[in-house]
Amino acid sequence: MRDVSIIGIGQTPVGEHWDKSLRELAYEALAAAMKDARVEHIDGLYVGNMLSGELTSQEHLGALIAEHSGLRGIEAVKIEAACGSGGAALRIGYAMIAGGLSDVVAVMGVEKMTDKPSHMVTSALAMAADAEAEALQGLSFVGINALLMKRYMHEYGYQKDDFANFAINAHANAVNNPYAMFPQAITAKQFAAAKPVADPINLLDSSPIADGAACVILAPTQIAKEFTDKPIRIRATAIATDSLALQDRRDVLYLEGGAISAQKAYAMAGVGPGDIDLFEVHDAFTIMSALSLEASGFARRGQGVLLALDGQIGIKGKVPITTMGGLKARGHPVGATGVYQLVEVAIQLRGEAGANQVPDARLGMAQNIGGSGATVATTILERI
Amino acid sequence: MRDVSIIGIGQTPVGEHWDKSLRELAYEALAAAMKDARVEHIDGLYVGNMLSGELTSQEHLGALIAEHSGLRGIEAVKIEAACGSGGAALRIGYAMIAGGLSDVVAVMGVEKMTDKPSHMVTSALAMAADAEAEALQGLSFVGINALLMKRYMHEYGYQKDDFANFAINAHANAVNNPYAMFPQAITAKQFAAAKPVADPINLLDSSPIADGAACVILAPTQIAKEFTDKPIRIRATAIATDSLALQDRRDVLYLEGGAISAQKAYAMAGVGPGDIDLFEVHDAFTIMSALSLEASGFARRGQGVLLALDGQIGIKGKVPITTMGGLKARGHPVGATGVYQLVEVAIQLRGEAGANQVPDARLGMAQNIGGSGATVATTILERI
């Protein structure tokens, strides 16, 4: 098995790109990443995407993006695992190089969500849940997360405002990210006064739907320095699953898929949570940050929120999370999010995060979650 | 890179399964394949599917099928490359084992198409074409293939009935396939009298939409004999792409993606078309059989139809194709088709094809096509 590194990164700003089609966004990120890696050709393209069929009446994105990007002929496929599509695509690209099937590949995430009315987007997102047990009953994703948050508060005795720092931290970090959708700081007062969406979730617990594309270029570590002075080694990649429906979980407040995925990644890298210098969590809603921190071993059960309350999640904290704004403030173009996380971890490990730089960051982790925890892709990257 | 073999196969009958949901069909094929391979656990599941979002309002099939099949926790993702999804999924599963990331994985294809009215299915299938350049103009897949067939007839001087033997051969072979949707022989007279769909394509040029699921279990060749007496070695797997839109092709009558894909597969296996004992073509329409035979080197350009006219495509012919009925008569559950082809090639190489057995079959090839040729996955299997 060959060792694999990221040799280039690219991303588009996250936002409402009404002037750009899906294929144009994809090309922008791919071209930026190829330029960053100083490559003019790639052997394969693995595209994480969830909703192109439902929201743009277009499937077959692998070939579409390859051709639109001037790469006609290359191997190209779409990978779908709901909002975990990007992180899942990384593992596929990794396997292609690890197994010697390819030498240089691109892993991309792309999503175009804002051209359709929001009720259609809400319905489309519900396809990540169990169509028979959840979506058919009218349960939306904000509803699912509201159930989780309410149960968590009840079980562990928290108040709604105890979650505020997850959002405040994300927005504070987004201020210095030129690609972020909402680079505005928010206050605890604003959080407390935000409009309710689905009790107890308010607008500032929730990540925004968005358009965007991000891309990483992979090559064998052995030759990575031929392309870049700052290769980022992929120390581990793991995907694990759980039931789609909350009702089928053994314990709704425990992300079993997250735990399996993190444990596999730690084992592959030979490290533990104490070795991780920053952790990009999948903060689609503030409750998911808490659950992800707990499943990955950064906090005991019921204590993920304490890390935020105690101010441990900031850039200079014990467990820096959402260092470039997270899903909350960078934005959440669902199938692209997992690759945005990887790009951001790479920026940190390359020491290019500017005002947001985590001091001496050597090991970074990203956890990308599909649905309410049914697919979890965990990746550990290392500065070499 | 580890050598990889198929150690088990499973399939559901192809047809209109109004009494079974997508997840039930998937489980049926997966359970059959795991039983055939005598395994009770797999490390990963790679699901080829194109239309679950559009036709069953369900994405996130990897986790869904894993959980429904009693395999909660394992790695699982969906692979999409239009009608080439199944063949593409095979390459992903192959890479996982070749690269040493997994030891035993399942590659599945599943599609549920018949619960929705046919105009919705036609629209959904058009998502394999270019949404901006083709689908938006009202071009359907039968329309695209009619353009290709008409051009082919014009360019090379054939009549419509010259294509008849592709359909007649497929139906003749389906008679002995208990999993086929239309196991009825047809005559040249019936072909000539079939109702037109889109001139020059008639009903008997066209494969039927269908429900179905097929599955293969993969393991390293080195340990394959621990599971089965008849492992089938994967000698080659390749994916290549072309433009989605016909108008962007360099030459509409040449499947460039098919040619690249076949050449890569031949190079990987160290063989040529003359070594292939049977060839499962992607006969979504009769014209695609001709184009696939030409792109893969079994006939010169414009002469693919001659192989059918000369009776060379039968079980005992020079190039046996659609040996279990093909897309035409076995049926075409789009995202599952590529895996059905692999199951059928494996049946031939295991010597279990009964009345349809290709004598002394040692090397078999399958070519799975997405759209009108934008994704082509070619796989070469070998009896060992």
Side-chain angles (χ1 to χ4, degrees):
Chain A
M1 189 160 91
R2 300 197 291 184
D3 208 86
V4 184
S5 285
I6 294 173
I7 60 167
I9 56 177
Q11 59 184 322
T12 74
V14 179
E16 302 193 10
H17 293 291
W18 297 347
D19 57 334
K20 287 179 186 164
S21 67
L22 185 147
R23 70 187 81 179
E24 288 169 334
L25 287 169
Y27 169 70
E28 195 175 315
L30 178 59
M34 288 178 68
K35 188 177 172 197
D36 186 53
R38 294 180 295 201
V39 296
E40 289 179 0
H41 185 76
I42 54 175
D43 303 320
L45 171 66
Y46 308 95
V47 180
N49 171 272
M50 177 186 173
L51 296 172
S52 72
E54 194 70 9
L55 297 181
T56 59
S57 298
Q58 179 74 70
E59 289 292 354
H60 216 166
L61 293 193
L64 181 85
I65 295 168
E67 206 275 335
H68 184 73
S69 303
L71 298 165
R72 187 189 295 205
I74 66 163
E75 169 171 339
V77 295
K78 165 173 163 173
I79 313 294
E80 191 275 325
C83 304
S85 299
L90 187 275
R91 184 162 162 88
I92 307 297
Y94 175 92
M96 288 295 161
I97 294 181
L101 280 75
S102 294
D103 284 327
V104 179
V105 306
V107 173
M108 142 163 310
V110 60
E111 205 75 67
K112 187 89 180 77
M113 305 176 76
T114 72
D115 290 351
K116 289 279 158 63
S118 58
H119 72 276
M120 284 182 67
V121 179
T122 299
S123 288
L125 287 169
M127 298 195 302
D130 191 313
E132 293 171 15
E134 296 183 317
L136 202 63
Q137 320 303 326
L139 201 52
S140 68
F141 259 93
V142 62
I144 288 170
N145 280 274
L147 290 172
L148 287 173
M149 187 168 173
K150 199 151 201 166
R151 183 77 197 168
Y152 188 96
M153 289 162 61
H154 170 79
E155 204 69 46
Y156 302 120
Y158 291 106
Q159 301 301 309
K160 194 239 163 330
D161 286 349
D162 295 336
F163 292 79
N165 272 354
F166 285 121
I168 292 167
N169 174 63
H171 276 276
N173 291 339
V175 168
N176 301 308
N177 179 2
Y179 299 95
M181 185 172 189
F182 293 127
Q184 298 90 9
I186 62 165
T187 64
K189 201 172 157 187
Q190 284 172 314
F191 182 86
K195 287 186 185 168
V197 183
D199 181 48
I201 287 179
N202 71 30
L203 198 64
L204 291 177
D205 284 297
S206 315
S207 60
I209 63 164
D211 309 325
C215 185
V216 294
I217 309 289
L218 311 184
T221 300
Q222 206 179 1
I223 58 167
K225 290 237 171 175
E226 294 173 19
F227 301 98
T228 175
D229 300 333
K230 297 175 178 176
I232 302 299
R233 186 178 168 209
I234 301 174
R235 281 288 297 273
T237 160
I239 300 172
T241 54
D242 199 345
S243 71
L244 267 64
L246 283 188
Q247 68 188 47
D248 295 329
R249 300 274 165 84
R250 282 185 264 260
D251 179 343
V252 291
L253 292 184
Y254 187 60
L255 293 179
E256 202 171 289
I260 298 171
S261 172
Q263 286 305 325
K264 280 189 171 177
Y266 292 143
M268 188 171 173
V271 303
D275 301 308
I276 302 297
D277 298 312
L278 69 136
F279 179 29
E280 290 303 328
V281 296
H282 190 93
D283 58 323
F285 299 92
T286 52
I287 178 66
M288 287 311 273
S289 298
L291 296 180
S292 187
L293 284 163
E294 294 171 21
S296 303
F298 292 94
R300 290 174 189 274
R301 295 196 53 183
Q303 299 188 3
V305 170
L306 291 182
L307 287 171
L309 274 172
D310 295 350
Q312 296 297 334
I313 60 170
I315 296 293
K316 300 208 161 58
K318 193 177 143 204
V319 189
I321 67 170
T322 58
T323 67
M324 302 304 282
L327 283 59
K328 175 67 201 83
R330 173 239 297 132
H332 184 25
V334 293
T337 288
V339 185
Y340 272 100
Q341 292 178 316
L342 297 169
V343 166
E344 291 163 357
V345 173
I347 287 172
Q348 287 284 358
L349 300 180
R350 279 157 57 148
E352 298 171 353
N356 289 11
Q357 184 63 48
V358 172
D360 197 31
R362 192 183 66 81
L363 269 186
M365 183 158 109
Q367 188 163 77
N368 184 207
I369 300 179
S372 56
T375 299
V376 185
T378 306
T379 310
I380 299 176
L381 303 180
E382 180 186 32
R383 183 188 73 209
I384 51 175
Chain B
M1 190 160 89
R2 299 197 291 184
D3 207 86
V4 184
S5 286
I6 294 173
I7 59 167
I9 57 177
Q11 59 183 322
T12 74
V14 179
E16 302 194 9
H17 292 292
W18 297 347
D19 58 334
K20 286 178 187 165
S21 67
L22 184 145
R23 69 187 81 177
E24 288 169 335
L25 287 169
Y27 169 70
E28 194 176 317
L30 177 59
M34 288 178 69
K35 190 178 171 197
D36 185 53
R38 293 180 295 200
V39 296
E40 288 180 359
H41 185 76
I42 54 174
D43 303 321
L45 171 65
Y46 307 96
V47 180
N49 170 272
M50 177 187 173
L51 296 171
S52 72
E54 195 72 8
L55 297 182
T56 58
S57 298
Q58 180 73 72
E59 289 291 355
H60 216 166
L61 293 193
L64 181 84
I65 295 168
E67 206 275 337
H68 184 73
S69 303
L71 298 165
R72 187 189 293 204
I74 65 163
E75 168 172 340
V77 295
K78 165 174 162 172
I79 313 294
E80 190 276 324
C83 304
S85 300
L90 187 275
R91 185 162 162 87
I92 307 297
Y94 176 92
M96 288 295 160
I97 294 182
L101 279 78
S102 294
D103 284 326
V104 180
V105 306
V107 173
M108 141 165 308
V110 59
E111 204 76 67
K112 187 89 181 77
M113 305 175 78
T114 72
D115 290 350
K116 290 279 158 62
S118 60
H119 72 276
M120 284 182 67
V121 179
T122 298
S123 289
L125 287 169
M127 298 195 303
D130 191 313
E132 294 172 15
E134 296 182 318
L136 202 63
Q137 320 303 324
L139 201 52
S140 68
F141 259 92
V142 62
I144 288 170
N145 280 275
L147 290 172
L148 287 173
M149 187 168 170
K150 199 150 201 165
R151 183 78 197 168
Y152 188 97
M153 289 161 61
H154 169 80
E155 204 69 44
Y156 302 120
Y158 291 106
Q159 301 301 310
K160 194 239 162 331
D161 286 349
D162 294 336
F163 292 78
N165 272 353
F166 285 121
I168 293 167
N169 174 64
H171 276 276
N173 291 339
V175 168
N176 301 307
N177 179 2
Y179 299 95
M181 185 172 189
F182 292 128
Q184 298 90 8
I186 62 165
T187 64
K189 200 173 159 188
Q190 284 172 314
F191 182 87
K195 287 186 184 168
V197 183
D199 180 48
I201 288 179
N202 71 29
L203 198 65
L204 291 177
D205 283 298
S206 315
S207 60
I209 63 163
D211 309 325
C215 185
V216 295
I217 310 289
L218 311 184
T221 300
Q222 207 179 358
I223 59 167
K225 290 239 171 176
E226 294 174 19
F227 301 98
T228 175
D229 300 332
K230 297 175 178 177
I232 301 299
R233 185 177 169 208
I234 301 174
R235 281 289 298 271
T237 160
I239 300 172
T241 53
D242 199 345
S243 71
L244 267 63
L246 283 187
Q247 68 189 46
D248 295 330
R249 301 274 164 85
R250 282 184 264 258
D251 179 344
V252 290
L253 292 184
Y254 187 59
L255 292 180
E256 202 171 289
I260 298 172
S261 173
Q263 286 305 324
K264 280 189 172 178
Y266 291 142
M268 188 171 174
V271 303
D275 301 309
I276 302 297
D277 298 311
L278 70 135
F279 179 29
E280 289 303 328
V281 296
H282 190 94
D283 58 323
F285 299 92
T286 52
I287 177 66
M288 287 310 275
S289 298
L291 295 180
S292 188
L293 284 163
E294 294 170 21
S296 304
F298 292 94
R300 290 174 189 274
R301 295 196 52 183
Q303 299 188 5
V305 171
L306 292 183
L307 286 171
L309 274 173
D310 295 350
Q312 295 297 333
I313 60 171
I315 297 292
K316 302 209 159 59
K318 192 175 144 204
V319 189
I321 66 171
T322 58
T323 67
M324 302 303 283
L327 283 59
K328 174 67 200 82
R330 173 238 297 132
H332 183 26
V334 293
T337 287
V339 185
Y340 271 100
Q341 292 177 317
L342 297 169
V343 166
E344 291 163 357
V345 173
I347 287 172
Q348 286 284 358
L349 300 179
R350 281 158 55 149
E352 298 171 353
N356 288 10
Q357 185 63 49
V358 172
D360 198 32
R362 194 183 65 83
L363 269 186
M365 184 158 109
Q367 189 163 77
N368 184 207
I369 300 181
S372 55
T375 300
V376 185
T378 306
T379 310
I380 299 177
L381 302 180
E382 180 185 32
R383 183 188 73 210
I384 51 176

